[in-house]
Amino acid sequence: MSKENSYNHLAKKILELCGGKSNISSYTHCMTRLRITPYDENKTDIQALRDLDGVLGVVEAETLQIILGTGVVNHVTAAFSKLVSEEGVDVKEAAAQKKADINRKNATPFKLFLRKIASIFIPLIPALVASGLITGITKAIIQAGWLSAESQIAVILTVIGSGLFTYLGILVGINASKEFGGTPALGALAGILIINPEIAKISLFGEQLLPGRGGLIGVLFAAIFIAYTEQFIRRFIPQSLDIIVTPTVSLLITGIVTYVVFMPLGGFFSDAITSGLLSILDFGGIAAGFILGATFLPLVVTGLHQGLTPVHMELINSIGNDPLLPILAMGGAGQVGAAFAIFVKTKKTTLRKAIAGGLPSGLLGIGEPLIFGVTLPLGRPFLTACLGAGIGGAFQAYFQVATFAIGVSGLPLSFLVLPSQIILYIVGLFISYAAGFLLTYAFGYKDEMASQFD
């Protein structure tokens, strides 16, 4: 069977096991997961999905998350989309209908909040990764002396890589407004309200406003507010005047509220998040690094790690770097070490093939194939991987390693680490590899544990 046919077959089986056309409300994908929102969760066969060849794991969270792995998820989602279209399902309409259904079924406020945050930031991850890597590689080349910072090549690369971070608020505003039922273009304007350099000319209550104050939190406040304001105003405006009156009044009200309320409020929350995390790292030191590193993999299992994206961005926006990401990146490194220990120790051919397929992605910072395909099903190796990650996290915290952008973890993250700390990050990475390997080899694995790989 060709790869294309195998992707189509897998997509068809997933659709069947999710209840068919009438049960698909909406779907999207991130770097490794096909995320499906079914109308009726009781119509999905979770165990059959887990047993499906090509599926690395299934997470039941705010959405049904089917782990497929990097590269594969793109092809399967494309095939899934074609099948859904052929079945005649209007996904946009279904997504709107699902809002009421979510309120009725399995929708705690915390889950809804995480779902919406993930929906805002997950589509931006490829752009964040691309921009971060271009910026990081450019900085590394300049730092190594291979290129002058004033050269036109360096300037062009810097402009290409840095553009997203300059205007990220606009993209966040678009996605936030869309997620909360507003017009995407008005969400973009909400982002512009926060980042517009002309803000510096405004003085309120005796103080000059600072462009960007409030960061992405302020953008989220403004974008969500303009979405709800637009919906409220539209109820009272004749249809013939809607295109003129609704967006104009929505923008005017949102602009005033943003400068009087949202920028100061966003700034307060931004400062609280930043100072709180920095205090934890300063006070906790090695212990804090160990705990944060060791507990990150369980977050990845549940999919909650996507909710940390705005936290990383806010740290970079507030203090210019992110000391949290290198610590959390050790989760994947501990996983790689644990998987390699199993590969060396096991005599099971099927298990060795599963590890060989997942290790390249793991080294490049995508841990789901190893988590759901190897260590989590085995049980104890997942725990030793977490301990190995904690040891690497303690190292990163002790030396206060930080990144200047966000991206995938593993080896590629070294391009995003502050230039003076690249060696320290790589040393910490290999410490996590080694710790995960040694702990798993000594205590975490015996072939008797892997009966499912016979």
Side-chain angles (χ1 to χ4, degrees):
M1 183 183 295
S2 69
K3 283 189 176 181
E4 184 176 354
N5 288 336
S6 67
Y7 296 142
N8 292 335
H9 176 73
L10 182 54
K12 184 177 181 180
K13 295 298 295 183
I14 290 173
L15 182 59
E16 290 175 359
L17 294 174
C18 286
K21 67 169 186 175
S22 61
N23 201 39
I24 303 300
S25 168
S26 61
Y27 62 90
T28 185
H29 74 91
C30 57
M31 296 180 70
T32 59
R33 309 179 186 207
L34 171 59
R35 297 169 179 259
I36 297 172
T37 303
Y39 280 115
D40 187 350
E41 295 173 1
N42 295 323
K43 292 182 179 179
T44 61
D45 191 337
I46 302 300
Q47 188 56 52
L49 282 170
R50 288 196 174 102
D51 295 338
L52 196 58
D53 188 25
V55 172
L56 302 175
V58 177
V59 176
E60 298 178 78
E62 65 281 355
T63 57
L64 184 63
Q65 303 173 19
I66 302 171
I67 318 299
L68 300 171
T70 53
V72 175
V73 69
N74 303 76
H75 293 288
V76 174
T77 302
F80 188 86
S81 179
K82 289 181 180 179
L83 288 171
V84 168
S85 298
E86 290 171 1
E87 296 277 0
V89 175
D90 186 340
V91 175
K92 291 184 179 179
E93 181 181 348
Q97 294 173 351
K98 183 59 181 174
K99 289 183 179 179
D101 191 55
I102 286 178
N103 287 328
R104 182 175 60 85
K105 296 174 60 180
N106 193 32
T108 65
F110 183 64
K111 283 186 176 181
L112 286 175
F113 172 76
L114 290 176
R115 182 183 69 84
K116 289 183 179 295
I117 291 297
S119 296
I120 292 168
F121 285 95
I122 285 175
L124 302 178
I125 289 177
L128 290 167
V129 171
S131 297
L133 283 177
I134 290 173
T135 300
I137 293 171
T138 302
K139 285 181 178 289
I141 292 173
I142 293 173
Q143 182 78 10
W146 299 340
L147 198 64
S148 168
E150 290 76 27
S151 69
Q152 282 299 295
I153 294 178
V155 172
I156 291 172
L157 291 174
T158 299
V159 169
I160 292 173
S162 64
L164 173 68
F165 302 103
T166 303
Y167 301 102
L168 183 61
I170 297 175
L171 296 180
V172 171
I174 290 172
N175 288 353
S177 182
K178 186 190 305 180
E179 180 64 23
F180 285 86
T183 301
L186 292 182
L189 286 176
I192 293 173
L193 287 173
I194 299 289
I195 68 175
N196 192 339
E198 296 298 306
I199 292 173
K201 299 177 181 178
I202 301 174
S203 179
L204 291 176
F205 311 113
E207 292 188 10
Q208 294 291 128
L209 294 186
L210 180 65
R213 175 64 173 163
L216 295 181
I217 295 176
V219 171
L220 288 173
F221 285 153
I224 294 169
F225 181 84
I226 201 170
Y228 283 127
T229 301
E230 176 190 2
Q231 294 170 45
F232 178 79
I233 292 173
R234 181 164 286 125
R235 293 161 53 189
F236 305 98
I237 302 300
Q239 186 174 359
S240 59
L241 298 176
D242 178 70
I243 189 63
I244 298 173
V245 176
T246 302
T248 303
V249 176
S250 298
L251 177 60
L252 182 60
I253 294 174
T254 303
I256 293 171
V257 175
T258 295
Y259 295 137
V260 175
V261 179
F262 294 149
M263 287 188 72
L265 188 62
F268 170 79
F269 281 112
S270 173
D271 292 344
I273 291 171
T274 302
S275 60
L277 281 172
L278 293 179
S279 296
I280 289 172
L281 292 175
D282 289 340
F283 179 77
I286 293 176
F290 178 86
I291 293 171
L292 289 169
T295 56
F296 184 64
L297 285 177
L299 282 181
V300 176
V301 170
T302 61
L304 299 183
H305 63 300
Q306 301 290 0
L308 293 174
T309 302
V311 175
H312 293 303
M313 294 306 305
E314 200 53 50
L315 284 168
I316 294 170
N317 183 63
S318 300
I319 62 174
N321 60 68
D322 179 5
L324 179 62
L325 185 54
I327 295 173
L328 302 185
M330 297 301 100
Q335 192 78 214
V336 167
F340 189 65
I342 299 170
F343 185 86
V344 171
K345 200 170 183 180
T346 187
K347 296 179 181 178
K348 296 182 180 292
T349 303
T350 304
L351 180 55
R352 289 172 66 90
K353 286 182 178 179
I355 295 171
L359 272 176
S361 294
L363 290 168
L364 296 175
I366 308 298
E368 280 91 344
L370 290 178
I371 293 174
F372 292 96
V374 180
T375 62
L376 194 59
L378 293 173
R380 197 185 303 170
F382 182 76
L383 298 178
T384 53
C386 290
L387 292 175
I391 293 171
F395 179 90
Q396 303 289 354
Y398 179 79
F399 287 101
Q400 299 179 339
V401 178
T403 64
F404 56 82
I406 70 170
V408 293
S409 57
L411 289 170
L413 192 64
S414 59
F415 292 108
L416 307 183
V417 172
L418 298 175
S420 60
Q421 298 179 330
I422 292 176
I423 299 300
L424 286 172
Y425 171 76
I426 293 176
V427 170
L429 197 65
F430 277 88
I431 286 175
S432 275
Y433 290 156
F437 179 91
L438 293 173
L439 289 169
T440 304
Y441 193 90
F443 311 109
Y445 178 76
K446 295 179 181 179
D447 259 353
E448 298 81 45
M449 300 162 54
S451 58
Q452 66 267 49
F453 291 95
D454 288 333

